[in-house]
Amino acid sequence: MISLNEHLLEEKMADLEQIRSWSPRVISKLETLIRTGDDYSLFRVNPIQYASERGMSESEAIDLFLHATKIGLFEMEWNLLCPACGNVVDSFSALTRLHTHAACISCAVSVEVALDDFIQVTFTISLRIRDNIFRYPDSLSAEDYFFRYFRSKDVSGSPNKIDTTLLLTHVQPGQSVRVEANLAPSVLQLRDYTKNPLITFLIGDQPGDDQLVRVQVVDGQYRAVSHPVISTEVRTGPFNHVIPQAAFLGHGATTLEIENLMDEATPLWVNNFVPDYEMEAVKLRPFVSGKKLLTTQTFRSLFRTEVIQSDEGIGVQDITFLFTDLKGSTAMYDQVGDAKAYFLVRQHFETLNRVIAQNCGAVVKTIGDAVMATFMNPADAVKAAVEMLRDIEEFNRGITEDLILKIGIHRGHSIVVTLNDRLDYFGQTVNIASRVQGLADAGEIYITDEAFNYPGVDAVVAPFAVEPMQADVKGVRSQLRVHKIAAR
């Protein structure tokens, strides 16, 4: 029976409905999921898949879950995924705890990822609203524990290796279990993700003679009683597996005996597989990546207190920066006075913020009269830039002193850091984007080659005159190839 806090649910759904104007049935569909969905469907919800299944736009679904989290319907998780097997290596309730370095206890791969690819953001129903068995991994069945709790929902297609499960169970305190198998040259692994034990048996080409393999579980670790173990490394495709405990067996008839010497039950997965030495990164369905969330204006608006504690920041491999500035703003302040000029600048910020959000971008900060924004890709950034110039021109028709906008766009690698208690970006890509904006004159957009050559940009700039050129940019040794767009 579903344990549901009816009064609180009704209160929160009413609050959510009042936040903004949602598309038809958006709120009712979410309420139906909360009331009737099984526990797994309310655990680590992927907003992009949720949108696809319900005919919603991705942006609205992401906004829906962000607002639902802010008011206490859901809780947000930052999951660090293993690029080799797709398991959740680590999970964090807040960005402040996120790191990009870990070791996957499933496949013994060292994980070091950026915000772009294998940092997944999901949403789980709040315990204040509805209980959920996946909040209590110790109570799950062995199958749910290994294949639904630890493995990302978004792993798609076949696994990277031929996998045969020989045993999947919980071993009770003091209990021994036995597995008998006729093993071919392959790999035999015993896994329990709770306390990080893993032991690997490498089965060679030489035959074994009715092998008996005895393993004990002691203090949350596996101990091979019958065979000596070593630490070793195995390379499969792009991945290096650092195996802390490995032993060698011959092929043929084998009996495996596992004894639990602890005073608590331990989950056990015994699997036998043939390694795929052409292993590639696991295939995942589209999900909300860390980069996607940080370039979502709703996230930056609702979760301003989210910061990164890591001293070195967190890398993002490919992000697009857009900088704007007003030409002649100092003269405008002198001509119309501080109060009126400030009012006009604030209105111009509102216009730019709206355009940025509508084009899947997010404002990082304002610097005087300038705006720094990020986008998932250059096509969205260029589209936003064109719309900014159009909307500012329309805005100018109602005022006596024209606001003249200049825009620069660049794409590349960056580091997400915390500066002045807010999320910011650091690196040469940011510097170049800012200085490319400095090249622009009234009503111009300057775009670097890295951004201009992105698919879809050509279609956005097709109606305008485009002038490629070489430019000297402070802090860059060689000339920079840029494209001037006169969009006015």
Side-chain angles (χ1 to χ4, degrees):
M1 179 179 291
I2 295 174
S3 174
L4 191 67
N5 187 331
E6 286 281 356
H7 175 74
L8 188 58
L9 174 60
E10 290 180 7
E11 176 186 308
K12 296 300 184 184
M13 294 306 299
D15 291 344
L16 187 61
E17 192 167 16
Q18 296 302 314
I19 286 173
R20 53 166 275 189
S21 177
W22 302 99
S23 298
R25 299 195 62 214
V26 163
I27 301 301
S28 64
K29 288 177 181 178
L30 182 63
E31 184 172 3
T32 298
L33 173 65
I34 294 172
R35 290 185 176 279
T36 65
D38 62 21
D39 284 354
Y40 190 56
S41 66
L42 287 162
F43 175 66
R44 293 178 181 160
V45 179
N46 175 343
I48 293 178
Q49 296 304 316
Y50 178 92
S52 176
E53 293 163 1
R54 290 163 179 82
M56 295 173 58
S57 71
E58 289 182 6
S59 60
E60 187 170 33
I62 293 170
D63 280 2
L64 176 68
F65 281 96
L66 287 171
H67 282 292
T69 297
K70 188 65 177 180
I71 65 172
L73 270 172
F74 283 80
E75 294 177 6
M76 185 162 53
E77 288 183 80
W78 299 75
N79 302 314
L80 178 59
L81 305 184
C82 174
C85 68
N87 273 9
V88 177
V89 176
D90 217 337
S91 184
F92 310 94
S93 59
L95 177 60
T96 184
R97 297 180 56 210
L98 181 66
H99 58 76
T100 58
H101 313 282
C104 178
I105 56 179
S106 172
C107 62
V109 165
S110 178
V111 177
E112 184 172 349
V113 298
L115 284 164
D116 308 64
D117 301 319
F118 291 96
I119 294 176
Q120 172 200 56
V121 183
T122 60
F123 300 84
T124 296
I125 191 69
S126 169
L127 283 176
R128 295 182 62 212
I129 302 296
R130 176 178 159 174
D131 205 2
N132 191 304
I133 192 172
F134 286 92
R135 295 284 195 176
Y136 315 101
D138 290 347
S139 67
L140 295 173
S141 68
E143 182 175 2
D144 282 347
Y145 175 81
F146 285 108
F147 301 135
R148 304 182 90 185
Y149 181 78
F150 276 100
R151 179 162 294 184
S152 168
K153 283 184 174 183
D154 297 314
V155 175
S156 64
S158 301
N160 285 324
K161 55 193 175 188
I162 301 170
D163 190 345
T164 302
T165 295
L166 301 182
L167 181 65
L168 192 63
T169 189
H170 282 88
V171 186
Q172 300 304 315
Q175 182 186 12
S176 292
V177 295
R178 292 169 67 92
V179 180
E180 295 183 354
N182 190 20
L183 301 175
S186 56
V187 174
L188 182 72
Q189 279 190 333
L190 282 67
R191 309 181 191 189
D192 166 15
Y193 300 153
T194 306
K195 296 181 178 64
N196 196 16
L198 171 71
I199 190 165
T200 301
F201 294 94
L202 305 175
I203 303 161
D205 295 330
Q206 298 299 315
D209 185 17
D210 291 329
Q211 302 169 115
L212 173 63
V213 181
R214 295 181 59 232
V215 175
Q216 294 176 340
V217 189
V218 183
D219 297 329
Q221 298 292 324
Y222 290 135
R223 183 171 67 194
V225 178
S226 58
H227 291 72
V229 297
I230 63 169
S231 61
T232 188
E233 297 185 14
V234 176
R235 188 83 181 175
T236 58
F239 302 110
N240 191 47
H241 307 264
V242 181
I243 303 172
Q245 291 193 95
F248 298 92
L249 299 176
H251 67 80
T254 303
T255 299
L256 181 64
E257 183 180 281
I258 303 102
E259 181 182 12
N260 182 8
L261 298 182
M262 301 192 299
D263 58 3
E264 59 183 290
T266 180
L268 172 66
W269 178 20
V270 181
N271 65 315
N272 176 221
F273 60 89
V274 178
D276 177 3
Y277 289 95
E278 299 302 321
M279 180 184 285
E280 298 177 354
V282 68
K283 292 180 173 60
L284 298 166
R285 299 186 303 174
F287 61 81
V288 180
S289 66
K291 180 176 81 169
K292 174 67 176 175
L293 201 65
L294 264 60
T295 54
T296 299
Q297 187 61 56
T298 301
F299 171 76
R300 294 196 70 107
S301 299
L302 294 180
F303 298 91
R304 295 180 184 274
T305 59
E306 288 278 10
V307 294
I308 292 172
Q309 296 291 3
S310 173
D311 291 339
E312 70 269 21
I314 297 178
V316 56
Q317 296 169 347
D318 183 5
I319 192 164
T320 301
F321 292 96
L322 179 150
F323 279 81
T324 74
D325 199 6
L326 290 175
K327 181 178 181 180
S329 59
T330 302
M332 180 182 67
Y333 276 81
D334 186 54
Q335 292 169 9
V336 305
D338 289 348
K340 185 177 180 180
Y342 178 73
F343 175 73
L344 292 175
V345 169
R346 296 306 304 173
Q347 285 192 307
H348 127 275
F349 280 149
E350 291 177 8
T351 298
L352 299 193
N353 290 353
R354 173 180 50 78
V355 172
I356 290 166
Q358 288 175 347
N359 287 280
C360 304
V363 175
V364 178
K365 59 185 175 183
T366 58
I367 313 158
D369 302 328
V371 169
M372 172 185 175
T374 56
F375 293 82
M376 283 285 287
N377 63 71
D380 289 338
V382 175
K383 187 170 181 290
V386 170
E387 292 180 13
M388 285 176 185
L389 293 181
R390 181 198 64 198
D391 288 3
I392 289 296
E393 187 172 353
E394 181 67 26
F395 177 75
N396 284 338
R397 292 174 183 170
I399 60 176
T400 56
E401 298 294 332
D402 284 358
L403 299 181
I404 307 300
L405 203 62
K406 310 183 298 175
I407 303 173
I409 297 171
H410 182 48
R411 167 198 183 198
H413 174 272
S414 187
I415 302 293
V416 183
V417 298
T418 298
L419 289 176
N420 300 319
D421 296 322
R422 67 181 173 196
L423 292 173
D424 206 335
Y425 294 83
F426 177 83
Q428 184 70 335
T429 300
V430 179
N431 298 335
I432 291 174
S434 174
R435 286 161 184 163
V436 165
Q437 179 276 317
L439 298 173
D441 205 342
E444 294 178 347
I445 306 166
Y446 270 66
I447 311 170
T448 63
D449 241 16
E450 289 82 356
F452 188 84
N453 292 325
Y454 186 85
V457 171
D458 54 348
V460 179
V461 301
F464 309 106
V466 179
E467 182 183 347
M469 63 182 71
Q470 300 290 331
D472 291 315
V473 176
K474 184 180 177 181
V476 180
R477 292 180 180 178
S478 58
Q479 284 194 318
L480 202 65
R481 182 172 172 81
V482 294
H483 302 260
K484 181 176 77 172
I485 314 296
R488 295 187 66 190

